[in-house]
Amino acid sequence: MDAAGLARSVIDAILPARFRPQPPIPAPVERRAAPRKQAALSASVITGGRTHRGQIRNISTTGLTLVFDSPPQLFKGAHLLVCAGALAPFTGSVRWIAGRECGMVFNSALAEEVLDDTSALFDPGKRVRPGRAKIHLVAAVSAPGLERRVTIENIGSGGAQLATGLSLPVDTGVMIHIDGMLPIGGHVRWSQAGRCGVMFNKLLPVAAGEEIARRCALHSSWLDELREAHAAIVDA
């Protein structure tokens, strides 16, 4: 036995097992509670009173993966509100963070039917609703017993996010008034922290989209997608 081997034998004989060098412990493998569907959907993520832009990369009944345009200040357990297109917002908390990506676990599991109903928004080759355009447009909201100035923070063919400073009850019917345009009708889908999401009663009219795009200097691709959404209804 060489000197090194003899030294190891002496150490093994003298030191208790807990003090001996141990092999490295392998990193735990993440086990998802439900299979994920691949996604590619622009999203607004609200946390800590701030809104961040990102994209949903995959989704399941129990959570989703987000990729941010720029890394936000997040921590495990932080509460998130994720708004994507005309979908109902997702609420949950941060499960893990890796650079510009994070995993979110929902507060309550989605029904399989909900995931199936929204799968067309993720599958390649299928026509989807236009994504939300981030804007800053002053408007007014009216409802029974309510008349208030608000700011439209993002808008798509099927709905908009408003900064109202109020807690509006879900399902409240509202009319959105933008100067020089016909009112847009809809109802409140969610309401949190002085903001709310409104689902329009019908697709945003192309004429209204053209005027909003002009005032807010939106990219032409957003308007093209709005026109395609209307064309899809005509073709159906």
Side-chain angles (χ1 to χ4, degrees):
M1 180 181 296
D2 60 16
L6 180 60
R8 282 195 298 269
S9 298
V10 172
I11 291 173
D12 289 344
I14 297 175
L15 291 180
R18 66 179 180 274
F19 293 126
R20 297 173 193 165
Q22 300 295 318
I25 300 173
V29 177
E30 180 185 2
R31 297 186 180 276
R32 288 172 173 166
R36 296 284 172 114
K37 289 189 176 182
Q38 294 303 305
L41 185 65
S42 296
S44 296
V45 183
I46 302 172
T47 182
R50 296 179 177 234
T51 301
H52 306 275
R53 296 295 299 169
Q55 186 182 77
I56 298 175
R57 281 287 175 84
N58 58 54
I59 186 170
S60 75
T61 55
T62 58
L64 53 79
T65 297
L66 291 164
V67 181
F68 293 94
D69 294 349
S70 57
Q73 294 294 321
L74 288 179
F75 57 90
K76 290 182 180 180
H79 297 293
L80 302 177
L81 174 68
V82 179
C83 306
L87 300 178
F90 303 110
T91 58
S93 57
V94 174
R95 182 74 176 272
W96 56 265
I97 305 166
R100 294 192 303 119
E101 297 188 7
C102 85
M104 171 184 176
V105 59
F106 297 145
N107 288 338
S108 56
L110 299 179
E112 289 284 355
E113 293 77 9
V114 174
L115 204 58
D116 291 340
D117 289 344
T118 61
S119 63
L121 294 173
F122 311 115
D123 294 342
K126 292 188 178 181
R127 191 185 298 272
V128 301
R129 295 176 179 175
R132 293 291 179 99
K134 186 176 181 179
I135 63 176
H136 184 90
L137 185 62
V138 175
V141 164
S142 63
L146 173 68
E147 183 80 29
R148 187 177 182 87
R149 301 293 285 182
V150 300
T151 300
I152 303 175
E153 296 184 324
N154 65 52
I155 191 166
S157 67
Q161 178 178 305
L162 312 179
T164 63
L166 297 174
S167 179
L168 295 176
V170 173
D171 292 330
T172 298
V174 298
M175 297 295 291
I176 301 174
H177 305 270
I178 302 173
D179 289 343
M181 297 170 54
L182 293 174
I184 303 169
H187 61 277
V188 176
R189 283 292 301 275
W190 60 269
S191 182
Q192 181 172 327
R195 289 181 168 84
C196 73
V198 174
M199 174 174 281
F200 300 150
N201 293 334
K202 58 183 181 180
L203 283 181
L204 179 71
V206 172
E210 290 173 340
E211 180 61 19
I212 291 170
R214 184 190 67 80
R215 295 186 190 184
C216 301
L218 299 182
H219 194 276
S220 60
S221 61
W222 179 83
L223 196 53
D224 290 341
E225 290 178 348
L226 177 60
R227 294 187 179 112
E228 288 178 6
H230 280 271
I233 294 177
V234 174
D235 294 340

